[in-house]
Amino acid sequence: MCGIVGYVGTQDAEPILVEGLRRLEYRGYDSAGLVTISNRRLHLRKQAGRIQDLARVLRDRPAPGDLGISHTRWATHGPANDINAHPHLGGDGTLAVVHNGVIENYAPLRRQLERDGYVFKSDTDTEVIAHLIDQNLRKSEPRETPSDWVEWTSHDLVEAVSTTLAQLKGTYGLAVVSARYPDMIVGARLGSPLVVGVGETGHFLASDPSALVGMADKVVYLQDYQLCVLTRNGWHILDQDRGRVEVALETIQWQESQTDKGNFEHYMLKEIYEQPEALENALRGRLNDADASAHFGGLNLDTQQIRRADRIILTACGTSYNAGLVGEYLIEEFARIPVEVEYASEFRYRNPPIDRNTIVLAITQSGETADTLAALRESKRKGHPTLALCNVVGSSIAREADGGVYLHAGPEIGVASTKAFTNQVAVLTMLALYLGRMRHLSSLQGTAMVRDLRALPDAVRRTLGCHETVRRIAERYCQVNNFLYLGRQYHYPVALEGALKLKEISYIHAEGYPAAEMKHGPIALVDEETPSVFLMPRGPIFDKVMSNLEEVKARGGPVIAIACEGDEEVAARADEVIYVPEVPEYLQPIISVVPLQLLAYHIALLRGCDVDKPRNLAKSVTVE
Ligand code: AGP
């Protein structure tokens, strides 16, 4: 949460800092701000609200200079107002800090600094960092900007930042500038991501590489406890003791066109429509006809380790957790390995008995979710082989897991996850096939799965044909206050995902439930005003789900059914039907979720909600 951008180079910093923030706005959008330096003076502009509100301020009062840092906030300490917006100034106001993360010991530090005479303006934990750096800076002898590049590591600002970091408990990705040293930006990371970018016009800092696409083509991912120093002439990565670290630059894979909305009104709709292509990218090169199996480049586990695995724990949050629940059905059915799915936020603090042959697999779009990262680290500490299913290349989880599989969904910017979910389920299906083929799955079954998977992107393409029907249904139901989503087996996680999508972007209360479990409580919610969305594709327990549908109808509840093309039996009983292509049952979640994404999208739109940036949320949850 919170996005950081920094720039020093030959261009005006302001437009670069604002454009970077626009691309990081998905990380938080409570307030935004920036500071630039020119003529040894800081130019601070900050504002509650969106980046466009900051841009309005800048139209009246531009911020000059070719060096600066900026921030988009997701509030943790103190409400979203102008004063709590970043950057925060330290000491006499010549030093500025932007910060992503949480400083857990900020209260005692603040009390101490107040006793030392520092006056706080905001409620934030970040202001503590700014004053501490000022205090530490005052303790050291001022030195001029070094002429020799190597001397940067002993620079007094770098020293003051590093001394300050040692006083902090918690997490940070931060950037610091000072009017006394108008040529440099100091960055640091512990627990909150930060990348250094190298481009033709200068050097950059950002919370993730998507902010830099088109401006810098090479990046270095900072590791925990590392610092970086950027100037017009160079950049350095330093370790905790300010020793230089040699690192290799990596090329940014994403294109600029992938990070804009194209012809779509919202990122969410664009990303829903990108699903067929995203699936093609996830499948490409991973299906193997000769072995009737799937294969992955980066699992990094030897065959014996995989064969020995007698249990798999899938851990994740939110939509990624729902994908994990589909994965549980897939892996247990095709590989016959027992699977448990754990909320990462719970798993990280539990101490379940896990034996050596348990593989822990983290599922995450961003690769930065704090709880998922902590769950992965805890598993590694206990000696379990860890894998990650991750979308963002080079993210913390992708780097820290022993091995993993990239989702190849391309940048997902809408806060509501769509194409990452379908790619996660597709990759989990391939993983189930791969594990199954190492055990008991026959080559005939393997061949059939390879064939079915290859046909999947086109089936999703055809599914998008339901868009107009879904839009009309959304018009009919957009004013209700409660929704139920019901499905069984593979479709129970889809029901959860449909309810989550609706809740997060339209603010309508929605519950996902196993359809038969309804009778044990939630059926009390059913009335004429509460529609139930039933997932009704054909399959072994179709008749049972039909009975559950009848139970709802008998109590006057309107029913919206997702059914296979041409299913007249469902159409006869439901109030509304959305037809989707019929695919083998284990792939149906990838199809059935598409109309639910569109339904949430249109209901949110009709209710006037901000689809891409729903209230209180952020795309990447990097706090606990
Ligand atoms: C999904 O629509 C949500 N915005 C959210 O639940 C998300 O899936 C969750 O925060 C996990 O994120 P990750 O996949 O990046 O780890």
Side-chain angles (χ1 to χ4, degrees), residues 316-322 363-370 372 389 397 412 414-418 420 424 497 500-501 504-505 614 617-621:
C317 303
T319 286
S320 299
Y321 173 86
N322 293 340
I363 307 173
T364 168
Q365 188 284 133
S366 61
E368 300 294 349
T369 302
T372 312
L389 252 65
I397 292 175
E412 191 183 67
V415 165
S417 185
T418 52
Q424 283 165 344
E497 179 57 9
L500 176 60
K501 286 289 88 87
E504 70 177 327
I505 61 170
L617 286 172
K619 180 73 177 164
S620 190
V621 184

Side-chain angles (χ1 to χ4, degrees), residues 372-578:
T372 312
L373 180 58
L376 182 97
R377 285 180 178 161
E378 183 64 15
S379 307
K380 279 184 82 169
R381 191 171 300 124
K382 290 175 177 158
H384 302 293
T386 57
L387 296 174
L389 252 65
C390 186
N391 196 35
V392 178
V393 176
S395 56
S396 303
I397 292 175
R399 282 183 288 108
E400 291 195 25
D402 297 320
V405 186
Y406 280 120
L407 301 176
H408 295 317
E412 191 183 67
I413 292 167
V415 165
S417 185
T418 52
K419 61 178 180 171
F421 175 81
T422 40
N423 272 29
Q424 283 165 344
V425 177
V427 169
L428 285 163
T429 313
M430 286 191 281
L431 194 63
L433 167 62
Y434 170 75
L435 296 171
R437 287 289 289 134
M438 289 180 110
R439 289 155 185 259
H440 70 284
L441 207 64
S442 74
S443 75
L444 280 182
Q445 286 169 299
T447 302
M449 284 182 77
V450 168
R451 187 196 55 222
D452 296 341
L453 278 160
R454 284 220 174 92
L456 187 62
D458 273 337
V460 173
R461 227 167 247 128
R462 290 205 309 281
T463 308
L464 290 165
C466 71
H467 192 161
E468 189 45 33
T469 309
V470 175
R471 201 188 55 72
R472 279 201 304 273
I473 294 173
E475 273 172 5
R476 251 167 257 151
Y477 294 92
C478 65
Q479 295 310 337
V480 305
N481 295 322
N482 295 295
F483 258 88
L484 292 169
Y485 285 75
L486 304 161
R488 295 181 74 165
Q489 302 285 296
Y490 279 107
H491 284 90
Y492 160 52
V494 181
L496 290 178
E497 179 57 9
L500 176 60
K501 286 289 88 87
L502 188 72
K503 267 186 280 212
E504 70 177 327
I505 61 170
S506 76
Y507 321 141
I508 294 177
H509 169 243
E511 301 237 18
Y513 242 80
E517 189 63 20
M518 275 281 285
K519 296 185 285 294
H520 303 283
I523 201 160
L525 297 172
V526 170
D527 61 18
E528 292 78 12
E529 303 297 317
T530 304
S532 294
V533 179
F534 266 89
L535 291 142
M536 298 286 299
R538 289 280 163 172
I541 57 164
F542 173 85
D543 293 339
K544 311 274 180 203
V545 189
M546 187 56 111
S547 306
N548 301 141
L549 185 152
E550 295 291 359
E551 288 153 14
V552 168
K553 289 288 302 171
R555 284 156 184 86
V559 167
I560 303 167
I562 313 295
C564 292
E565 275 158 355
D567 194 326
E568 288 175 11
E569 195 184 340
V570 175
R573 297 304 302 133
D575 297 275
E576 322 281 349
V577 64
I578 302 169

Side-chain angles (χ1 to χ4, degrees), residues 40 141-148 151-152 154-157 180-184:
R40 288 193 173 251
E141 279 296 299
R143 279 164 255 170
E144 269 313 300
T145 298
S147 49
D148 181 351
E151 292 174 27
W152 281 108
S154 58
H155 190 279
D156 44 353
L157 181 58
R180 274 169 66 190
Y181 308 105
D183 298 323
M184 68 194 291

Side-chain angles (χ1 to χ4, degrees), residues 66-173:
D66 53 14
L67 176 149
I69 53 177
S70 61
H71 186 271
T72 178
R73 178 169 187 244
W74 186 86
T76 58
H77 295 68
N81 57 27
D82 294 354
I83 289 173
N84 290 332
H86 296 218
H88 290 284
L89 301 181
D92 58 4
T94 54
L95 179 141
V97 176
V98 292
H99 165 227
N100 168 24
V102 172
I103 303 306
E104 288 161 8
N105 60 339
Y106 89 100
L109 289 172
R110 180 171 173 143
R111 280 196 295 276
Q112 182 58 52
L113 284 160
E114 281 171 339
R115 277 198 292 275
D116 294 343
Y118 283 91
V119 178
F120 280 76
K121 295 195 172 69
S122 75
D123 312 308
T124 65
D125 50 344
T126 304
E127 198 178 347
V128 159
I129 308 176
H131 291 315
L132 271 180
I133 297 173
D134 179 81
Q135 191 171 58
N136 287 317
L137 206 49
R138 282 169 197 283
K139 287 180 192 157
S140 64
E141 279 296 299
R143 279 164 255 170
E144 269 313 300
T145 298
S147 49
D148 181 351
W149 180 230
V150 177
E151 292 174 27
W152 281 108
T153 54
S154 58
H155 190 279
D156 44 353
L157 181 58
V158 180
E159 205 174 298
V161 171
S162 120
T163 309
T164 300
L165 298 180
Q167 297 170 271
L168 305 178
K169 282 201 191 105
T171 55
Y172 52 78

Side-chain angles (χ1 to χ4, degrees), residues 14 43-46 56-64:
E14 183 197 296
H43 303 276
L44 177 70
R45 312 281 184 266
K46 53 187 198 171
R56 253 194 305 278
V57 170
L58 288 163
R59 267 202 296 280
D60 296 337
R61 289 180 62 216

